[in-house]
Amino acid sequence: MTDALENPNYPVPDELKSNVIVTTIDRLYNWGRRSSVWPMMFGLACCAIEMICTAASRYDLSRFGMEVMRPSPRQSDLMIVSGTVTKKMIPVIVRLYNQMPEPKYVMAMGACASGGGPFKEGYNVVSGVDKFIPVDVYVPGCPPTPQALLNGLIKLQEKIDSQSIASVPWYQSGNSEPVPVPLLGPDLIDLRQRPLFNQLAKQPAAQAVTE
Amino acid sequence: MTEVVAPTVEAPAAALESRFPGAVTPDARAGYSGYVVAADQLIEVATALRDEMGYDYLSSVTGVDYIADGKLEAVYHACKTTGGPALVLKVQAPREAPVVPSLVNVYPGADFQEREAYDMYGIRFAGHPNLKRILMWEGFAGYPLRKDWKEAYYEGETKPFESRWPGGDFVRAEEKNIFSHNVAYPAGFTPDDWVPESEVSQYPVFDPSTQGEGHGLKTDKLVVNIGPQHPSTHGVFRMLVTLDGETIVNLQPVMGYLHRNHEKIGERNTFLHNMPFTDRLDYISSMSNNLGYALAVEKLMKVKVPERAEYIRVLMVELTRICNHLWAVGFLLNDLGAFFTPALYAIRERELILDFFEATAGSRMMCNYMRFGGVARDLPERIRDDNTLDFLNDMVFNRLPRAIDDLETYLTDNEIIRSRCIGVGVLPPQQAVAFSAAGPLLRASGVAYDLRRADPYSIYDRFDFKVCTRPNGDIYDRYLIRMDEMRESAKICQQVLRDMPTGGDILAGKPAYNVRVPAGESYGRVEGPKGELGFYIVSTGKTNPYRYHVRAPSFINITLLGELCKGHKVADVVAILGSIDIVLGETDR
Amino acid sequence: MYGLGIVKGLWVTVQHFVDTYTDDIRWLSKRYIDPDKLSYRQSSKGKGLFTVQYPEEKLEVPERFRYLPFLLYEEKPDGTKEDRCTSCGICAKVCPPQCIWIERTEDPVTKRPVPAPKAFFIDTDICMNCGYCAEYCPFDAIKMDHDYEIASYDRTGAHVYDKEKLSKPVSYYAGIRPTDYAAEEQARAEAEAKKAARKAR
């Protein structure tokens, strides 16, 4: 029995191997969680169309218990960031993320959400949503086909499977800290960088970075 | 059907010169056309153009930065709804203090486009009622499309960038930025000393004192903010709705949440580089975008497209139109509350068309299929287990007509749909033309304006099809017109399959990655599924476009949203927005 | 009669519902396992349930399908690998979002360029899968891959592909794109024959 538990029949990614403590309760707990991941009904750009196709007739997300797309962040477990994240949109995305209850997962779907994508050089584009919120699974592609997205969702299920009720952060003491919502000034302002701003303002020589 | 009242005798556009001596001069630059108009006479010229010469439809407004001459130029394309090519007007203003009179009172459709030109170039349109930034936010530093404005990740004026080869020293752009973000601030900026722009100052509608008194009993008006994250907004789109009780008294669209700098990137790109970027404009109908862009560049290059390629292009574009309308109809029903079943049936048919695109072009959505002078590859031998021609014949002769009939039985007579849609969001034809509405939105109001007939391109003059119109201009008619257009598109596809030559070239000349385009300007436009999709290109004879502007039907059609929604209930907003059929990739670019 | 329109609509959905079962009975249990049946179900003749049971069954991608690019190398009979890439830089120039970085090899003595890449990077977080690199490569050295099952938990390391990660054997390419491969081989053979003929003359 223990052998089977220690060697689950799904591949456990290397970076998660150290914290795998599989117990029977964990199995039940994770089975419940992984079979009812409710994504947020939240589309940004081109990838959202492929996300809708994944939920539609041909690929049918409900086979994974994920068809309940919730329009409210309060009811959702997974945010699929499906498209280009712009500076004008990132404050909204961060706010939505802060409103999601734990446990929450984020998937960066497509090149744009992962790292800026083909529009990376643009003046209104954020170089990947992980600059602001933690991402659990990245799905490359521009846009990822529905099967690629499903592959990413299965990867997410594997990640959920590898977590243990004893060590998951949302049962530890206290609530998680919300991510500070960036502001829209002359350009996007990441408030976590306030010390850097002040330091730069003090030494005018370093301002060569900007025009 | 109400006809648009056209003057009985139209003076030719050339009469402008004698009518306004000194103020209107022909544009003499090589490769340019149209007239340069003095700024102080623009409104008179535009009024004469509209009322006396029949140019009742202002297709596009944009700006160009001629930095070498120290001038900013506002460019207008006006057309007749009775057909014919566009007339180009230009107004020049000095870069330091660019002021151009606003045309909002002559052509209300100029509203958002002028705001966009202000946002991107800082051209002040005197007399515009709400001249605020539209794609970027208020307070953003600089006017990004000006030639001397550089983005944070600036690497070079034009692509290809030199760091890529032969040095090849890979480094991510964010690693070179001191903030490790895609940002740049004015010198000495700190968030501590900065006062953020408040919501009220950006959107005065939030200020209770602007609401005015209610009539009769004193009632408060309520401002409801819908979006940018809202399931009914078809993407990241925001509406500020002012309600009196449950009735909408004002609706203000806010956009730019998907502004991905298509035009700035497009001016760094080479001509060929832009092709896959156009896929991502209206990402539901990439083939149409490809064709529009290819036409605009081919106009300058003066290449002749081989016969077979023309047929393949038409086939692709019409299938795209069917795809788009299936999607629009399915999701209109979603917006009406018929959650997902109609969309599922529609998406199933769309998937089969996408299979064909994937087998031919290599990708379901981002086809990147057209090239200057033809198409990238010939049709494949097989699609799954079927011979391609058998698959296509089966699809356009049997399957699609059957599927459209199926949808029609399923939806058209449905009492709930009829009571939700008939008489809601009515758009009179005069208003539709004045606001530069395009595509199904315009034709559902009874204006038979379809570029495939009005200003024929490619080989559309060879096909027998009807320009569908519907008389009432409400949501129901906008639904019906999409059904009609799908049938007509299927008819065109049938003719293509009948007449298409079996062999021959699919590309004029050899495949070339570094095309040089003769200097000049060109405006290529196609009847996209959502309306007139135009590409305005200025070339200086180099490998990169000097100016690259997209006249996006979704963006301009949305100008009407506020007008259409007035007097209706909140639930109708969702349906009206769905019936306009916007795609945010194109609205915000 | 009021309500008839709704009844007509319901009739359509009932037909679709029944179709899913008649089709099930027709193929019996083979429906979900047999790749031929999958292909039939997904064609324009298919009726009834349309769903692909990914990951148990996978919808085959067409030959021209493009995802991320990869580099080709020839497997020599003696076991060594020879890159087809000559580091001419056309793919880097034609790449619309400029996601390709190539470092050209220099001869250590003469300092003249050697036709082989020293380093080759593709940032897949920028790549737009447009296929230009493969389309315009004069040496058929870079092609678009079919592998889309590449989701990862981390991007800093995993999403920048270096030469090692990009390289795949020509036999792999011949497997995923047999028609293209055959056409290219034929064109190459013809060109060589012409060259030989010219030399012989």
Side-chain angles (χ1 to χ4, degrees), chain A residues 87-88 122 185 188 193-194, chain B residues 137 179 182 185 192 255 257:
Chain A
K87 291 180 188 169
K88 202 167 174 179
L188 189 73
Q193 291 181 331
R194 193 172 250 145
Chain B
W137 59 90
F179 292 97
N182 180 10
Y185 305 94
D192 293 333
M255 55 196 89
Y257 293 96

Side-chain angles (χ1 to χ4, degrees), chain B residues 458-474:
Chain B
S458 189
I459 48 166
Y460 275 104
D461 46 355
R462 297 185 198 171
F463 299 111
D464 170 36
F465 68 98
K466 210 168 74 213
V467 176
C468 309
T469 55
R470 289 274 171 178
N472 302 318
D474 54 7

Side-chain angles (χ1 to χ4, degrees), chain B residues 305-318 375 379 458-459 462-463 492-493 495-501:
Chain B
V305 180
E307 217 32 17
R308 184 171 163 82
E310 290 276 25
Y311 278 97
I312 295 178
R313 281 178 169 193
V314 172
L315 177 70
M316 291 298 184
V317 170
E318 293 307 319
V375 295
L379 301 182
S458 189
I459 48 166
R462 297 185 198 171
F463 299 111
I492 297 176
C493 291
Q495 294 171 50
V496 168
L497 288 179
R498 193 192 62 202
D499 301 342
M500 183 157 63

Side-chain angles (χ1 to χ4, degrees), chain B residues 5 13 23 61 80 86 156 169-170 195 225 242 264 321 408 419 433 446 453 491 515 550 558:
Chain B
V5 190
V61 181
K80 299 177 185 177
D169 185 16
F170 173 75
V195 187
N225 178 62
T242 314
K264 185 82 178 176
R321 193 183 313 277
E408 184 111 50
S419 57
V433 172
R453 280 271 185 269
K491 237 167 79 188
V515 288
V550 185
I558 214 79

Side-chain angles (χ1 to χ4, degrees), chain C residues 53-121:
Chain C
Q53 306 285 329
Y54 184 90
E56 286 80 19
E57 53 181 24
K58 288 173 188 173
L59 198 58
E60 218 181 294
V61 293
E63 200 183 319
R64 293 180 188 178
F65 178 74
R66 45 186 153 80
Y67 217 64
L68 296 173
F70 68 99
L71 289 173
L72 273 70
Y73 64 80
E74 310 266 6
E75 293 156 301
K76 295 275 155 195
D78 58 354
T80 53
K81 300 170 181 176
E82 190 188 61
D83 292 316
R84 276 191 177 182
C85 178
T86 63
S87 73
C88 68
I90 287 180
C91 52
K93 285 178 207 153
V94 82
C95 174
Q98 299 282 295
C99 71
I100 303 178
W101 279 260
I102 306 170
E103 193 181 339
R104 199 165 53 185
T105 316
E106 270 179 13
D107 191 297
V109 187
T110 58
K111 297 282 175 215
R112 299 207 15 216
V114 176
K118 194 169 171 192
F120 201 109
F121 297 100

